[in-house]
DNA sequence: AACCAATATGAATTAAATTCAAATCTATCA
DNA sequence: TGATAGATTTGAATTTAATTCATATTGGTT
């Protein structure tokens, strides 16, 4: 009666707190999840969740099953990796380049998990900043880029393959006493003649500029800082505005150090992929890297949506 | 893709060595199992069994999945047993007896709140008057007494357990024009040769008599009435005195219908407990009943002290 | 080569899960 | 107190997946 699929659903519900969001995560409808959990509740004749208009909260019984999921699913994944190893040797190397600065936040736990899962694979982070990280793959200097899809390069390149990871929202960051503090969302004009504080990367690599400000011909000043906390300090002290992933600024917002607002009418969302040569991305351990990223981030990063 | 059901099938195959026999064990046909294992083999693209006319033998990959089954299934069963235990913790019945008449005032909101919190517990009030309510627990006719601790009964009883609720003050009630209206507090002698109006219960169940009047050998007349309002009317019309919980007479005092005075130098306080068998009082819903009583009464009854 | 005792296969059937569309619930706000 | 927004629930229709049935095939043994 209880099946692995139900455990996956429980985990997603725990991560998102809402049936609708959990449903996206497991690629089902919200209704399907509702039917699933009701079937389990009826089967065991016990309620697993307290329902409210804020979503679901686990009852002790629900927590017990969640705990089961948290124990069983990793064991299942381990067995599946073992099966792959039995098919063929899986040693190799995996040199990762990050397109975006903020991804460092979660890469460490990902690499830890990966090393535990694939001890025979040498995983490394390619250090330094690279203006065209995708090119490093063709040059043979990296194996996987974690970032957005490359823009259409005019040069001929070895065709790349990609695995979707997740998308996240880029939020506008304001000082708490900013004039726009009561406005629900930010628009392109709101950045006009303002200072925009960013990581030190080219303009075309900053989504806000490329997708919003440039098309609207907004004029602004740029100022850069290396670290997220430095950007936060500059914003808090009213030296300018910033645009950062929702997960990276969550704790600053919670402590009311700065304000965060969605940008544009639908919000500014950025998509992340694991990108590599076709050869590389068909390797089981490269696919598993993507799975681990999705897993770790689904767990650690609030507000992301799995692709 | 791989589901619990497949693990059960693998286990049955290991136990019987033959698809046909294994199929009986999991209440499926041989064909169904054949389809199942073929689906798994195709999914992981690996052979799980060597087939012969003696039955099936596990390959290393098959053994790996069997090992997974042997690890996962017991964990699942343990979780299921835990759920059953949790269910028994949240459903049952709770037959309440009140030792004191006045407690009816607040029991209704308590029962309403309880029913909302524990829909699977049948809560009921044991009707009628009982001279020894605690004994009803040993007789299996009630689950919880709300009242004072039982006096040391000489008979052997199943040991009872209790949870403290609150204490409240029993006030002497006088007509507004009584001779003692200017006296701050009443003493035992003040009841001498007077009529005491009480609920119709035995003397030893009336705290004023048991704790104050009897020890001081005061002589008095008793008269009984069923309802609090009837007692108030009798007192107001100078037919006698009464002694009632401060909360029960509050509104009469506020409307200057009667006077209330503390009794004795420290006041006469009575303590209330939820009392039941040890088994009963360890159940989560019994503990929660006590919590709800304390909560509701702390809110509704002025002048009580939580124990 | 024939036979036995298994498993495999494919189409039909049955059962289960999922979706769709609408209803319902429940805090919160005016 | 009623309206509303944001969630879940519900039941019927649909789709998908699992199972059965009937039969074929396989591998080992004589």
């Amino acid at each position: 009666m209880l099946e692995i699929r139900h455990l996956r659903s429980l985990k997603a519900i725990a991560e998102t707190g809402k049936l609708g969001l959990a449903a996206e995560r497991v690629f089902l409808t919200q209704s399907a999840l509702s039917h699933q959990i009701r079937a389990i509740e009826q089967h065991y004749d016990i309620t697993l969740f307290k329902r409210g208009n804020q979503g679901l909260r686990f009852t002790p019984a629900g927590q017990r099953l969640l705990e089961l999921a948290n124990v069983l699913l990793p064991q299942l994944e381990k067995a599946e990796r073992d099966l792959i190893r039995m098919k063929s040797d899986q040693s190799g190397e995996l040199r990762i380049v990050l397109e975006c600065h903020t991804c460092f936040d979660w890469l460490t736990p990902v690499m830890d998990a990966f090393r535990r899962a694939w001890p025979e694979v040498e995983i490394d982070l390619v250090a330094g900043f690279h203006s065209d990280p995708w090119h490093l793959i063709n040059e043979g200097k990296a194996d996987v880029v974690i970032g957005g899809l490359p823009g259409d390069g005019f040069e001929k390149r070895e065709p790349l393959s990609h695995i979707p990871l997740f998308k996240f929202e880029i939020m506008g960051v304001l000082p708490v006493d900013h004039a726009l503090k009561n406005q629900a969302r930010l628009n392109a004009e709101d950045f006009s003649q303002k200072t925009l504080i960013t990581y030190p990367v080219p303009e075309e690599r900053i989504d806000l500029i490329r997708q919003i400000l440039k098309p609207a011909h907004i004029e602004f000043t740029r100022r850069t800082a290396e670290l997220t906390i430095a950007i936060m300090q500059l914003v808090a002290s009213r030296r300018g505005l910033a645009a950062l992933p929702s997960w990276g600024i969550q704790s600053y917002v919670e402590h009311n150090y700065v304000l965060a607002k969605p940008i544009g009418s639908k919000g500014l969302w950025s998509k992340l992929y694991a990108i590599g040569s076709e050869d590389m991305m068909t390797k089981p351990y490269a696919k598993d890297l993507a799975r681990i990223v999705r897993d770790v981030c689904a767990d650690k990063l609030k507000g992301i949506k799995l692709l």
Side-chain angles (χ1 to χ4, degrees), chain A residues 281-297:
Chain A
M281 300 316 283
T282 54
K283 285 187 197 290
Y285 60 79
K287 289 183 183 158
D288 205 41
L289 173 71
R291 171 159 86 170
I292 292 171
V293 169
R294 294 162 54 95
D295 243 41
V296 168
C297 292

Side-chain angles (χ1 to χ4, degrees), chain A residues 131-152:
Chain A
S131 60
D132 182 356
W134 306 280
H135 194 57
L136 295 177
I137 294 171
N138 296 301
E139 287 177 306
K141 292 182 180 165
D143 301 301
V144 172
V145 171
I146 289 179
L149 294 178
D152 294 329

Side-chain angles (χ1 to χ4, degrees), chain A residues 224-294:
Chain A
T224 64
E226 286 277 355
L227 299 172
T228 307
I229 185 163
I231 296 178
M232 289 295 110
Q233 284 170 353
L234 290 169
V235 170
S237 58
R238 298 189 291 281
R239 312 295 172 81
L241 310 178
L244 291 170
S246 61
W247 82 71
I249 57 175
Q250 194 191 345
S251 65
Y252 300 98
V253 174
E254 278 168 2
H255 293 84
N256 210 41
Y257 188 59
V258 294
L259 297 177
K261 307 279 183 189
I263 298 170
S265 58
K266 296 173 194 159
L268 175 59
W269 289 79
S270 188
K271 294 177 178 178
L272 235 44
Y273 300 82
I275 303 155
S277 69
E278 286 174 0
D279 267 4
M280 177 55 59
M281 300 316 283
T282 54
K283 285 187 197 290
Y285 60 79
K287 289 183 183 158
D288 205 41
L289 173 71
R291 171 159 86 170
I292 292 171
V293 169
R294 294 162 54 95

Side-chain angles (χ1 to χ4, degrees), chain A residues 77-282:
Chain A
E77 281 161 22
K78 181 162 193 316
E80 290 178 327
R81 282 193 295 266
D82 286 344
L83 290 187
I84 291 170
R85 285 202 190 85
M86 292 173 131
K87 266 202 306 197
S88 62
D89 174 55
Q90 291 300 325
S91 57
E93 65 175 342
L94 197 46
R95 293 160 301 173
I96 297 177
V97 194
L98 291 184
E99 188 205 347
C100 64
H101 269 64
T102 33
C103 297
F104 281 100
D105 289 353
W106 46 262
L107 193 69
T108 308
V110 164
M111 288 178 70
D112 290 348
F114 185 90
R115 289 201 176 93
R116 249 174 281 128
W118 300 96
E120 66 272 48
V121 175
E122 266 206 46
I123 187 173
D124 270 306
L125 184 61
V126 177
F129 174 75
H130 307 277
S131 60
D132 182 356
W134 306 280
H135 194 57
L136 295 177
I137 294 171
N138 296 301
E139 287 177 306
K141 292 182 180 165
D143 301 301
V144 172
V145 171
I146 289 179
L149 294 178
D152 294 329
F154 22 83
E155 338 139 56
K156 278 214 187 70
R157 292 175 166 182
E158 186 193 338
L160 296 181
S161 166
H162 61 269
I163 303 173
L165 297 174
F166 57 87
K167 63 178 177 181
F168 57 90
E169 187 169 11
I170 296 171
M171 310 286 283
V173 188
L174 314 177
V176 288
D177 55 356
H178 193 275
L180 300 175
K181 68 180 174 192
N182 292 321
Q183 194 170 308
R185 34 185 68 246
L186 263 30
N187 293 300
E189 316 81 69
D190 295 328
F191 291 90
S192 181
Q193 309 303 330
K194 297 287 191 324
T195 298
L196 183 63
I197 304 162
T198 69
Y199 294 110
V201 301
E203 287 199 347
E204 62 274 18
R205 290 272 298 280
I206 296 172
D207 297 271
L208 173 64
I209 299 177
R210 194 181 64 250
Q211 295 181 39
I212 310 273
L213 302 186
K214 264 282 150 61
H217 304 292
I218 302 292
E219 297 203 350
F220 59 93
T221 311
R222 259 186 85 195
R223 177 169 178 179
T224 64
E226 286 277 355
L227 299 172
T228 307
I229 185 163
I231 296 178
M232 289 295 110
Q233 284 170 353
L234 290 169
V235 170
S237 58
R238 298 189 291 281
R239 312 295 172 81
L241 310 178
L244 291 170
S246 61
W247 82 71
I249 57 175
Q250 194 191 345
S251 65
Y252 300 98
V253 174
E254 278 168 2
H255 293 84
N256 210 41
Y257 188 59
V258 294
L259 297 177
K261 307 279 183 189
I263 298 170
S265 58
K266 296 173 194 159
L268 175 59
W269 289 79
S270 188
K271 294 177 178 178
L272 235 44
Y273 300 82
I275 303 155
S277 69
E278 286 174 0
D279 267 4
M280 177 55 59
M281 300 316 283
T282 54

